[in-house]
């Protein structure tokens, strides 16, 4: 109970800091200037909160699609009908994960052009692995005895999934969703390279011009967002213990 | 109630069940007894179509199971497995309510049934309803497993070593209670076990299996006193007679005479009575209702009480 309350307080504090940084970016910039005792060279920029919302939008949309499609696919390949595709799918997803993310994004450009679409598809593909993997593992770890009992009592396959397998796999599936979302929050910074915006924009610009303050203005909100998401989803998972 | 005719189950080259036939009558508790791998569990699982039949016919309530939908058949038959398989994410109440829910019973009726079932297996509804399976002891979980199998009031119950994972003291209690429940509700039960004591304690009839074949079917008395061959004889290690005695209540065999200065016989069974005779070194045990000697015990063994043998 104590640890749960603690994580709520931590979440609240970090959220306040994040909101402060995003909506009062001038103040944040001044603070960084003071701390690093150097000034940023870039003047007149898009406000940070616009990048933040672009970032948030990318993460939410890509994670949402990845969860819907990934969980469905994961469930499908554990069924009798989908079993034959299981190995191929898991291998493909694994290879997809090993493929460097900047390269994956760059490859989207010639196919889909610059902009949000390419970035979203790359992010969805990236989020697939932990989601599909955990869905399969979560469902397969359900005890054979429990499934046998359910079947023996007259549940059909649909019922067994709905009432037994999926509820018992929820915690593991949520773990996959958490990993995928965190990966996406960080990977979405690369979307700036294909012109999809997001917190990657100040970051990439900062790297290009050796502007420390600009880099931190992109990187710190991303990190804080990742921490909040991690804590929130972890809390959700604990409910399924 | 259940009839098997020339039933065979093959897995590739391995014959798990080899052309067996038997009839189980309404209200009868038939035990299939045999060493592991003898095909007893497979036989059970053939009846509720958990495994498909290779050859032969199985009829349940007079209907060929090939003509009944798998799911409908299973809903109509209670089923308990050794590992119980309680659903860990559901409360005890929801576990017991599983089949009534599948059958779309009304909520209120299900609730009442859950309480009734918990009381039947000796657990207080108030205390156990909301518990999760992980909070139950082995014996309690087994009781809930039995309650779950009986909740929809099926006339047939299949049980695969249901008390196998319980400690000996609780097992004996569960066995006795289960036999009472079975008799009072008049359920037809097919019960699989490798435990000789268990079989002799609860069975109306015993079917001994080995290597997929039926070796002998008969009442416990027949099996113990007239074993068909050495396999059956060895199975009981020469102690079957003692197990038979534990089925019989001493009060049924007393030579009646009033001895008011002695204590009542209570629900002492003949095995315990024999043990008392031996340990006291006396010739007769005297109770307020009457007395017992070694002769009455021998007579008890020689009389054939089974209703199901003929």
């Amino acid at each position: 109970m104590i640890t749960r309350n603690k994580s709520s307080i931590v979440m609240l504090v970090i959220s306040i800091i994040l909101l402060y940084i995003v909506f009062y970016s001038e103040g944040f910039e001044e603070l960084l200037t003071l701390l690093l005792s150097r000034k940023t060279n870039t003047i007149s920029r898009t406000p940070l909160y616009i990048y933040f919302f672009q970032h948030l939008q990318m993460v939410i949309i890509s994670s949402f699609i990845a969860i819907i499609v990934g969980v469905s696919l994961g469930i499908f390949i554990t069924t009798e009908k989908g079993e034959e595709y299981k190995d191929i799918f898991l291998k493909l997803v694994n290879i997809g994960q090993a493929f460097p993310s900047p390269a994956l994004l760059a490859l989207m450009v010639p196919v889909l052009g610059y902009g949000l679409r390419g970035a979203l598809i790359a992010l969805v593909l990236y989020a697939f692995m932990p989601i599909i993997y955990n869905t399969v593992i979560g469902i397969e770890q359900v005890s054979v005895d429990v499934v046998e009992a359910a079947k023996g009592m007259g549940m059909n396959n649909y019922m067994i999934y709905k009432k037994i397998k999926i509820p018992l796999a929820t915690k593991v599936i949520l773990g996959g969703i958490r990993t995928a979302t965190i990966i996406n929050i960080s990977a979405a910074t690369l979307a700036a390279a294909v012109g999809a915006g997001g917190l990657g924009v100040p970051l990439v610009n900062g790297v290009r011009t050796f502007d420390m303050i600009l880099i931190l203005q992109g990187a710190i909100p991303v990190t804080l967002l990742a921490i909040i998401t991690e804590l929130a989803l972890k809390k959700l998972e604990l409910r399924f213990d | 109630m259940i009839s098997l005719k020339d039933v065979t189950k093959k897995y590739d080259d391995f014959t798990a069940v080899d052309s067996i036939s038997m009839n189980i009558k309404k209200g009868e508790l038939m035990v299939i007894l045999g060493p592991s791998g003898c095909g007893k569990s497979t036989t059970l699982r053939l009846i509720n179509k958990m495994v498909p039949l290779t050859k032969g016919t199985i009829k349940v309530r007079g209907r060929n199971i090939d003509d009944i939908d798998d799911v409908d058949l299973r809903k109509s038959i209670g089923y308990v497995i050794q590992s119980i398989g309680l659903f860990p994410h559901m409360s005890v109440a929801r576990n017991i309510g599983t089949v009534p829910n599948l059958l779309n019973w009304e909520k209120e009726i299900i609730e009442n049934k859950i309480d009734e079932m918990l009381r039947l297996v000796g657990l207080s509804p108030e205390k156990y309803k909301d518990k999760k399976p992980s909070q139950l002891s082995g014996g309690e979980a087994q009781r809930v497993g039995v309650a779950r199998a009986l909740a929809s009031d099926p006339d047939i119950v299949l049980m695969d070593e249901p008390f196998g994972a319980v400690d000996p003291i609780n097992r004996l209690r569960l066995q006795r209670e289960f036999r009472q429940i079975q008799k009072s509700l008049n359920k037809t039960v097919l019960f699989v076990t490798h435990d000789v004591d268990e079989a002799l304690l609860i069975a109306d009839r015993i079917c001994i299996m080995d290597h997929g074949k039926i070796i002998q079917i008969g009442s416990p008395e027949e099996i113990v006193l007239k074993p068909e061959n050495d396999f059956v004889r060895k199975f009981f290690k020469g102690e079957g007679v003692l197990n038979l005695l534990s089925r019989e209540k001493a009060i049924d065999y007393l030579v009646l005479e009033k001895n008011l200065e002695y204590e009542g016989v209570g629900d002492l069974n003949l095995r315990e009575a024999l043990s008392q005779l031996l340990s006291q070194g006396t010739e007769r045990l005297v109770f307020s209702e009457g007395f017992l000697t070694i002769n009455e015990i021998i007579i008890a063994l020689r009389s054939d009480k089974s209703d199901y043998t003929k």
Side-chain angles (χ1 to χ4, degrees):
Chain A
M1 227 30 216
I2 295 163
T3 48
R4 282 193 188 190
N5 284 335
K6 230 193 228 164
S7 85
S8 306
I9 294 167
V10 173
M11 262 167 65
L12 188 71
V13 171
I14 299 177
S15 305
I16 292 169
I17 297 174
L18 181 64
L19 288 175
Y20 166 78
I21 292 173
V22 168
F23 287 101
Y24 189 58
S25 46
E26 299 89 348
F28 180 51
E29 196 177 308
E30 271 167 37
L31 184 72
L32 287 174
T33 312
L34 213 72
L35 286 174
L36 299 169
S37 58
R38 67 167 82 173
K39 270 188 168 274
T40 171
N41 313 312
T42 330
I43 348 147
S44 97
R45 276 174 283 118
T46 319
L48 199 56
Y49 71 85
I50 291 191
Y51 292 135
F52 177 74
F53 282 119
Q54 283 175 340
H55 202 95
L56 210 57
Q57 186 194 12
M58 264 189 288
V59 171
I60 290 173
I61 296 176
S62 63
S63 301
F64 185 74
I65 297 172
I67 290 166
I68 302 286
V69 180
V71 172
S72 315
L73 263 178
I75 290 172
F76 173 69
I77 57 180
T78 62
T79 60
E80 247 168 77
K81 277 183 195 154
E83 184 119 53
E84 49 181 316
Y85 308 105
K86 190 169 112 187
D87 282 348
I88 298 174
F89 253 112
L90 291 183
K91 265 181 201 141
L92 267 179
V93 168
N94 258 330
I95 292 169
Q97 194 72 11
F99 203 78
S101 42
L104 187 61
L105 270 161
L107 280 176
M108 290 298 157
V109 176
V111 185
L112 293 158
Y114 274 91
L116 190 61
R117 262 205 310 179
L120 282 180
I121 290 177
L123 289 179
V124 167
L125 289 177
Y126 235 62
F128 265 167
M129 186 190 89
I131 295 178
I132 294 182
Y133 230 78
N134 278 40
T135 305
V136 171
I137 289 172
I139 286 176
E140 288 186 344
Q141 50 106 48
V142 173
S143 137
V144 185
D145 300 326
V146 169
V147 177
E148 159 100 6
K151 190 178 167 196
M153 291 164 77
M155 286 196 193
N156 57 28
N157 273 330
Y158 169 74
M159 283 289 199
I160 292 175
Y161 268 91
K162 187 179 152 201
K163 299 214 157 176
I164 308 295
K165 285 187 174 175
I166 295 175
L168 285 173
T170 304
K171 191 174 180 255
V172 181
I173 296 175
L174 279 177
I177 290 175
R178 179 167 51 92
T179 313
T181 313
I182 302 296
I183 289 177
N184 263 359
I185 289 173
S186 145
T189 49
L190 294 166
V194 295
L199 289 165
V201 176
L203 205 147
V204 169
N205 286 341
V207 170
R208 210 176 282 147
T209 56
F210 299 107
D211 191 332
M212 200 67 108
I213 290 176
L214 217 48
I215 294 176
L216 289 177
Q217 275 186 323
I220 291 177
V222 168
T223 312
L224 295 182
L225 184 62
I227 294 173
I228 295 170
T229 311
E230 160 84 20
L231 291 173
L233 292 180
K234 190 92 206 178
K235 243 177 121 92
L236 186 67
E237 261 169 67
L238 286 175
R239 287 187 171 196
F240 287 88
D241 254 344
Chain B
M1 205 62 176
I2 307 172
S3 79
L4 283 71
K5 197 157 186 291
D6 301 325
V7 168
T8 299
K9 173 67 195 176
K10 281 188 181 158
Y11 293 103
D12 298 324
D13 289 339
F14 175 68
T15 307
V17 177
D18 194 357
S19 185
I20 65 168
S21 301
M22 67 169 106
N23 279 302
I24 301 149
K25 289 162 203 131
K26 187 165 167 47
E28 183 177 25
L29 200 164
M30 168 81 98
V31 172
I32 306 184
L33 178 65
S36 19
C38 71
K40 54 191 192 300
S41 286
T42 309
T43 305
L44 193 79
R45 291 157 56 84
L46 284 169
I47 294 169
N48 64 355
K49 287 171 101 174
M50 292 294 278
V51 289
L53 202 58
T54 309
K55 238 169 57 196
T57 26
I58 298 178
K59 284 185 180 169
V60 170
R61 303 181 195 96
R63 280 180 71 193
N64 191 327
I65 58 165
D66 288 342
D67 304 334
I68 310 173
D69 175 64
D70 297 15
V71 165
D72 290 338
L73 178 72
R74 289 183 202 133
K75 276 189 219 169
S76 73
I77 297 177
Y79 187 45
V80 189
I81 53 178
Q82 181 180 0
S83 53
I84 326 169
L86 291 181
F87 307 139
H89 57 307
M90 295 183 189
S91 65
V92 165
R94 283 189 60 207
N95 262 289
I96 296 175
T98 305
V99 181
N101 262 313
L102 287 175
L103 296 169
N104 292 320
W105 287 13
E106 271 174 55
K107 276 231 145 53
E108 211 176 304
I109 300 178
I110 296 179
E111 289 305 310
N112 291 336
K113 197 73 194 181
I114 290 168
D115 288 4
E116 184 193 327
M117 283 300 125
L118 277 169
R119 271 185 228 111
L120 181 72
V121 297
L123 300 174
S124 118
E126 295 74 33
K127 205 172 146 202
Y128 285 93
K129 244 177 144 170
D130 298 323
K131 285 201 180 190
K132 283 280 172 72
S134 58
Q135 295 168 301
L136 302 175
S137 71
E140 287 164 352
Q142 221 77 358
R143 284 164 198 262
V144 174
V146 172
R148 185 172 70 170
L150 296 175
S152 65
D153 210 6
D155 51 351
I156 298 173
V157 184
L158 305 177
M159 307 181 99
D160 193 349
E161 310 215 8
F163 308 136
V166 188
D167 61 273
I169 295 169
N170 270 309
R171 193 187 310 156
L172 189 62
R173 195 152 69 205
L174 275 168
Q175 287 161 350
R176 290 201 168 131
E177 287 175 15
F178 175 70
R179 175 150 176 97
Q180 275 172 8
I181 291 171
Q182 183 263 338
K183 283 289 157 247
S184 65
L185 301 180
N186 196 30
K187 302 286 182 203
T188 307
V189 177
L190 188 57
F191 191 112
V192 161
T193 184
H194 64 261
D195 180 343
V196 175
D197 294 348
E198 180 166 78
L200 289 173
L201 183 68
I202 65 171
D204 292 318
R205 270 197 306 162
I206 296 175
C207 163
I208 296 194
M209 280 183 76
D210 189 34
H211 291 109
K213 288 196 166 77
I214 292 178
I215 308 294
Q216 187 174 0
I217 298 187
S219 66
E221 290 80 10
E222 284 177 321
I223 299 254
V224 170
L225 301 174
K226 297 169 206 149
E228 203 116 295
N229 59 22
D230 268 357
F231 176 80
V232 178
R233 202 167 300 136
K234 276 186 191 140
F235 214 84
F236 296 106
K237 299 190 208 93
E239 292 178 9
V241 170
L242 291 175
N243 291 101
L244 282 182
L245 289 177
S246 51
R247 295 168 61 86
E248 305 298 335
K249 296 254 175 282
I251 191 146
D252 297 334
Y253 297 95
L254 289 182
V255 178
L256 298 176
E257 61 172 37
K258 289 251 182 293
N259 305 298
L260 290 175
E261 66 275 27
Y262 288 90
E263 281 181 26
V265 65
D267 64 349
L268 192 78
N269 68 44
L270 284 184
R271 186 179 186 164
E272 290 159 345
L274 180 66
S275 168
Q276 283 191 19
L277 269 179
L278 293 175
S279 63
Q280 291 171 15
T282 51
E283 283 190 352
R284 59 168 67 178
L285 282 179
V286 187
F287 303 99
S288 60
E289 300 92 336
F291 68 88
L292 202 64
T293 70
I294 189 81
N295 279 327
E296 278 75 44
I297 294 173
I298 293 168
I299 288 164
L301 278 175
R302 293 287 172 252
S303 66
D304 190 357
K305 295 151 297 285
S306 176
D307 313 330
Y308 296 101
T309 28
K310 272 137 205 154

